[in-house]
Amino acid sequence: MPRPKKRMAGAAEPDKKEPAGKCTKIKNLGETSTEVENSSPQKTSASKNCGKNLSSYWLMKSEPESRLEKGVDVKFSIEDLKAEPKQTACWDGVRNYQARNFLRAMKLEEEAFFYHSNCKEPGIAGLIKIVKEAYPDHTQFEKSNPYYDPSSKEDNPKWAMVDVQFVRMMKRFISLAELKTHHQAHKATGGPLKNMALFTRRRLSIQPLTKEEFDFILSLEEKEPS
């Protein structure tokens, strides 16, 4: 998950000094590194057209409520990101191969929804953008970190992170329940959320979105909850 240019959701500050430019962390939401890297999971609408750039829009999950993982509070909300210097943090702690590959596919200035997960009311809280493309996630090398991976080597790191910056809060919170209502309706009608990864690949903390999915969700801001 994220971590401020210090550390966003999902991990504690490392016990060794971070190099210049390192960010806060955001936590990894329930993913495991046991998934096979080259597996071919069910495709979402945004990943059907494979290519170097799978998507230009994303949904990124982080936990807004306190939860200890190996003694470290992995909480990181969009409010925490907004409070960071330059409102910027690094999205570290991802330990799932497909989610990592999505991080690697991200390009500068691409937009993402900041999604509050594993909380009383999950849903989309705001917009963020990518301000630094993928680079090695330092937490994989920190023995005191919940996301330490002893199998990853500094000369051949397994895990990556990006830096994100706060753009704005949503005009209103778009809840998971509301999104699910549209997803179920769109499965029958062929609407834009019919194949949304939030429901077809729900455990992934990094998910691609099509432009149609992204635009439809933005349009919900102007409407009353269904």
Side-chain angles (χ1 to χ4, degrees):
M1 283 57 268
R3 170 177 180 171
K5 259 315 189 158
K6 74 180 206 196
R7 180 187 213 104
M8 279 162 105
E13 292 294 332
D15 58 0
K16 60 184 179 182
K17 186 176 180 181
E18 295 183 346
K22 194 155 285 188
C23 59
T24 308
K25 144 167 191 116
I26 296 168
K27 45 190 154 188
N28 179 2
L29 302 160
E31 297 168 343
T32 64
S33 58
T34 56
E35 185 171 330
V36 178
E37 181 168 7
N38 293 320
S39 62
S40 54
Q42 178 180 353
K43 292 181 180 179
T44 66
S45 52
S47 61
K48 285 180 180 177
N49 297 322
C50 294
K52 285 191 175 181
N53 195 6
L54 298 176
S55 176
S56 296
Y57 303 96
W58 308 93
L59 182 145
M60 303 174 76
K61 297 180 182 178
S62 188
E63 300 184 26
E65 297 175 1
S66 290
R67 178 176 68 83
L68 294 180
E69 185 159 327
K70 297 182 180 178
V72 171
D73 190 351
V74 295
K75 170 187 178 294
F76 198 85
S77 67
I78 194 167
E79 289 82 5
D80 293 320
L81 174 60
K82 190 176 179 181
E84 286 299 316
K86 298 184 179 180
Q87 300 183 321
T88 299
C90 62
W91 205 278
D92 63 3
V94 170
R95 296 296 181 267
N96 171 282
Y97 286 119
Q98 187 174 15
R100 177 207 64 185
N101 291 343
F102 288 146
L103 287 174
R104 289 178 173 176
M106 291 176 177
K107 303 300 179 186
L108 287 177
E109 300 299 315
E110 288 182 346
E111 291 183 295
F113 289 122
F114 194 116
Y115 182 94
H116 282 171
S117 184
N118 197 24
C119 56
K120 292 178 182 176
E121 187 176 18
I124 295 171
L127 280 170
I128 57 179
K129 67 179 180 179
I130 310 306
V131 294
K132 184 175 181 178
E133 293 179 9
Y135 61 105
D137 177 352
H138 57 279
T139 65
Q140 64 194 303
F141 307 122
E142 297 167 357
K143 292 184 179 180
S144 63
N145 194 283
Y147 303 112
Y148 172 63
D149 183 353
S151 68
S152 186
K153 308 303 178 186
E154 294 200 29
D155 60 352
N156 187 26
K158 283 185 179 181
W159 308 111
M161 62 185 181
V162 297
D163 289 358
V164 302
Q165 186 175 55
F166 175 84
V167 174
R168 67 173 176 86
M169 302 295 292
M170 299 295 284
K171 294 177 183 177
R172 68 176 182 86
F173 186 82
I174 310 295
S175 71
L176 172 62
E178 180 178 355
L179 292 169
K180 186 175 183 179
T181 297
H182 289 294
H183 167 67
Q184 292 176 332
H186 290 183
K187 283 196 298 181
T189 64
L193 300 192
K194 62 184 182 296
N195 294 319
M196 189 179 180
L198 185 61
F199 304 101
T200 61
R201 294 290 292 159
R202 63 189 65 184
R203 287 186 63 81
L204 285 177
S205 68
I206 308 295
Q207 301 177 356
L209 295 171
T210 65
K211 186 177 189 303
E212 291 73 22
E213 290 168 342
F214 185 83
D215 289 345
F216 178 83
I217 293 169
L218 279 183
S219 75
L220 296 177
E221 290 185 302
E222 309 296 338
K223 302 173 183 177
E224 291 296 320
S226 57

